[in-house]
Amino acid sequence: MDKNHMQGLFADAKGVTSSLCGLMLALASATCVAQAQGTTVASPEAASPSLPVRAATAPVAATPSTSSATPATSAAPMSRERFDELEARAPITTRFPAGTIKSDEQAQKALDEAAEDRQAMDLRYILDQRACYPKFLVADCLEAARDRKRLAEKRIKQVEYEAKVFQRQATVDDRDRSLADQRAKDEQDAARRQQEQKDKEASSARKVEESNAKNREVQQRIDQNKDVPADYRVRQHEAEVRRQQAEEAARAPERAANAAQRQRRIQEAEEHRLEVERKKAENERERAERKKKQQQDSSTTAPAAK
């Protein structure tokens, strides 16, 4: 088999393959046109106010080449008005330029709006795919739809990345501040405990020094009196006791006089209290008698006036 014959076979095989591909594309286009004509009356874009992502994914399943790019459609249906609002607003990179996320609130808001834009992006991609199937150049139309989706998804990912980086950094900063506060508290507690330990040691040393001083004083007295006979110390102690007893006996009349004076003052105070109570009772009795007499006088003068 010569080279020219082999080239002819390859050319024939390539032509058959191209024909088969063209036939498959024609069949797919005819199927999509039939589906579009069958759903013209009940089009979800014109008759229904909501755009559910789940229902709009049916035409996408007809093309295996785009099934992997279609996201999971577990989101809640979106109303047409909300979809139009999301498409009308500025791109997310314009609403959240790079370096403008400076707080947790901004980061969370950026993530929330990114989720909404992602849902609108997925729905727009599905609608663009459905609009491509009736066209002649289906592949070019689908490729343009994929490019638009990639561009929108790139913008969304940029904002999501910056927001998540800020949240992670904020979490790290909070943790570092908490650790720093705990470290400072631990250092303060350690310094306080060290000071308390020093104070205890100083107090113990002071008590030991005072005890040693007393012991030295006692030992000094013992050393001073070690040559004094024991009976002399006894006689000295007895003489001191007798002196104290004599002083107590000398102060006994004074203490007795003070006790008698104190008792007399108590008695005088009691007599004064009794006298005051007696005078108070007499005054009350006189007032009662005067009041009774006035009542009797008024009762006797009343008939005479009549």
Side-chain angles (χ1 to χ4, degrees), residues 25-38:
L25 289 174
L27 290 175
S29 300
T31 303
C32 294
V33 170
Q35 291 178 354
Q37 292 176 355

Side-chain angles (χ1 to χ4, degrees), residues 126-195:
I126 293 170
L127 296 177
D128 289 345
Q129 285 180 319
R130 293 179 61 184
C132 287
Y133 294 123
K135 297 180 180 180
F136 180 74
L137 300 176
V138 180
D140 293 341
C141 183
L142 292 176
E143 184 64 25
R146 282 194 292 271
D147 290 340
R148 288 192 297 271
K149 181 185 178 183
R150 279 194 292 268
L151 179 59
E153 190 171 12
K154 181 180 178 181
R155 294 171 178 171
I156 293 173
K157 286 183 178 180
Q158 287 178 356
V159 175
E160 287 179 338
Y161 175 77
E162 184 177 354
K164 291 179 180 179
V165 166
F166 180 85
Q167 287 183 341
R168 287 195 294 269
Q169 186 62 40
T171 302
V172 172
D173 293 341
D174 292 340
R175 184 188 60 193
D176 292 342
R177 282 193 295 270
S178 178
L179 292 175
D181 294 341
Q182 185 64 36
R183 190 180 302 110
K185 183 179 179 182
D186 293 341
E187 291 177 356
Q188 291 178 357
D189 293 341
R192 179 179 53 80
R193 289 193 296 268
Q194 186 176 4
Q195 185 63 34

